Amino acid sequence: MPTLEIKNISKTYKKGTVKALDNFSVTLTSGVYGLLGPNGAGKSTLMNIVTDNLNPDCGEVLYDGVNIKKLGKSYRSVLGYMPQQQGLYDDFTLNRFLWYMAALKGLKKKEAKEKITFLLETVNLTSAAHKKLGSFSGGMKQRALIAQALLNDPEILILDEPTAGLDPKERIRIRNFISEIAENKIVLISTHVVSDIEFIAKEIILLKSGKLVLHNTCENLIKEVENKVYEIEADREKLKYYQENYRVSNLYHSDDKIIVRIVTDNKPENCKAEAVKPTLEDLYLYIFESGM
Ligand code: ADP
Ligand code: MG
């Protein structure tokens, strides 16, 4: 089983004033891993380091026990990367873009032809092959970028916010697609949207201000907020009180009542608060909405 070991990575920007990653360590084997954290948590920085596009201040990344710096080209040949910053070639047709990327990755002509035909089918873009990328919708662009990341049949697939800017239908499509292609690969997906990875990730890594806060299966993560999630009936005035004093994860309106869902360490007093079954969304709020 392939292993990617990320060891004690720290990275600062702006002469050390911005700490993007702070002694981050995790070991990945095959399967889908969700890297979950809000904007600025350090997700893209980590992915840039893991793909050897950025040097950490300290720490190292090992693939099957060997430092990726030492592996160099042979590491790149097993790597597929979809960066967050989309330097898309708007004047290129999709077909030309994929041929161009295949050439950069050193694929032979015959191999490239087969792969491109196959991947266009896989990402459902065959009919758009001769259209310019500039005319693509958000979802089509994301699928085109995923396709280029798969050209070399990577053993390690790094996708930086692959569902950013997509509508719900496109999100579901991309999610299922990633799940399908993940077999026998190490897949790392970053997102700040819980539902993107909730059902497809084998394990979820929560990243906050450059630090790993939790790493576990979805099921075990949710246990962290067991008996910390309550639903309370409220009127407008009470609602305001809860919003100011608690992490409010959800609001339901039914008839003239409001049901407030809160995540808290301390059960609120003087009200009929009922502990309810927690979700990963509740945990996300618990971890990332601090100070309450
Ligand atoms: P994420 O991908 O989770 O949104 P990033 O890795 O992009 O997080 O950023 C982590 C932190 O590092 C943020 O505070 C961001 O402003 C900062 N940062 C990222 N890239 C640079 C850069 N090139 N120069 C200076 N600061 C940066
Ligand atoms: Mg990012």
Side-chain angles (χ1 to χ4, degrees):
M1 197 149 56
T3 310
L4 193 65
E5 220 176 321
I6 302 167
K7 277 171 87 174
N8 308 105
I9 297 279
S10 290
K11 176 73 190 176
T12 56
Y13 294 110
K14 297 192 175 162
K15 297 191 178 116
T17 53
V18 178
K19 225 178 202 179
L21 287 173
D22 190 358
N23 199 22
F24 180 95
S25 299
V26 78
T27 298
L28 312 179
T29 56
S30 53
V32 177
Y33 292 81
L35 181 65
L36 185 61
N39 286 328
K43 303 183 294 296
S44 295
T45 300
L46 180 68
M47 290 185 151
N48 275 313
I49 290 168
V50 168
T51 54
D52 199 17
N53 286 296
L54 184 71
N55 288 321
D57 297 347
C58 60
E60 56 184 2
V61 181
L62 309 175
Y63 182 54
D64 286 343
V66 186
N67 192 316
I68 59 167
K69 294 276 171 201
K70 228 183 212 169
L71 291 170
K73 226 176 160 181
S74 69
Y75 179 62
R76 275 165 209 280
S77 75
V78 296
L79 191 69
Y81 176 37
M82 172 185 174
Q84 183 173 19
Q85 297 305 335
Q86 305 187 5
L88 265 191
Y89 305 77
D90 280 356
D91 282 333
F92 278 32
T93 64
L94 173 59
N95 199 48
R96 192 160 160 231
F97 171 63
L98 291 175
W99 273 97
Y100 174 72
M101 294 307 290
L104 286 185
K105 290 177 190 233
L107 268 72
K108 302 224 164 58
K109 215 171 160 186
K110 185 166 170 275
E111 198 185 353
K113 193 172 178 201
E114 283 171 11
K115 259 272 117 80
I116 289 169
T117 307
F118 169 74
L119 285 172
L120 282 171
E121 275 302 307
T122 316
V123 299
N124 199 21
L125 283 176
T126 303
S127 62
H130 298 288
K131 293 196 176 120
K132 285 190 174 173
L133 295 172
S135 71
F136 277 25
S137 72
M140 289 166 81
K141 279 183 185 170
Q142 299 295 79
R143 280 183 276 145
L145 286 163
I146 294 179
Q148 68 74 30
L150 291 169
L151 277 168
N152 56 334
D153 240 333
E155 287 169 23
I156 306 167
L157 185 60
I158 310 284
L159 306 171
D160 199 350
E161 306 221 21
T163 57
L166 302 190
D167 66 37
K169 212 171 119 193
E170 288 173 328
R171 275 176 188 271
I172 292 167
R173 199 196 177 96
I174 295 269
R175 198 199 298 155
N176 291 339
F177 168 63
I178 292 168
S179 188
E180 254 170 57
I181 58 171
E183 214 180 339
N184 303 323
K185 290 188 202 338
I186 296 172
V187 183
L188 183 63
I189 307 172
S190 77
T191 184
H192 56 266
V193 181
V194 166
S195 59
D196 278 351
I197 47 161
E198 189 165 13
F199 302 109
I200 63 166
K202 164 173 106 163
E203 286 164 26
I204 294 169
I205 300 156
L206 294 184
L207 185 64
K208 183 180 184 178
S209 309
K211 288 196 176 89
L212 186 152
V213 242
L214 287 169
H215 169 205
N216 217 322
T217 60
C218 180
E219 205 184 328
N220 284 331
L221 284 176
I222 289 173
K223 288 187 186 148
E224 299 276 332
V225 279
E226 216 146 277
N227 293 316
K228 292 185 194 310
V229 185
Y230 296 92
E231 286 193 348
I232 309 162
E233 206 181 297
D235 53 23
R236 297 222 157 266
E237 208 171 296
K238 284 250 181 65
L239 171 62
K240 202 161 165 253
Y241 164 78
Y242 289 120
Q243 281 175 325
E244 280 166 3
N245 294 283
Y246 291 93
R247 302 179 192 88
V248 172
S249 90
N250 235 324
L251 286 179
Y252 312 90
H253 289 262
S254 72
D255 302 328
D256 53 345
K257 286 180 297 189
I258 306 168
I259 310 290
V260 193
R261 185 182 179 99
I262 61 170
V263 189
T264 176
D265 284 315
N266 307 307
K267 185 180 176 183
E269 288 167 7
N270 306 324
C271 67
K272 266 200 334 207
E274 241 180 276
V276 292
K277 201 169 167 253
T279 65
L280 195 60
E281 289 259 6
D282 295 320
L283 172 79
Y284 187 93
L285 198 72
Y286 182 69
I287 298 294
F288 295 111
E289 198 110 321
S290 55
M292 282 173 175

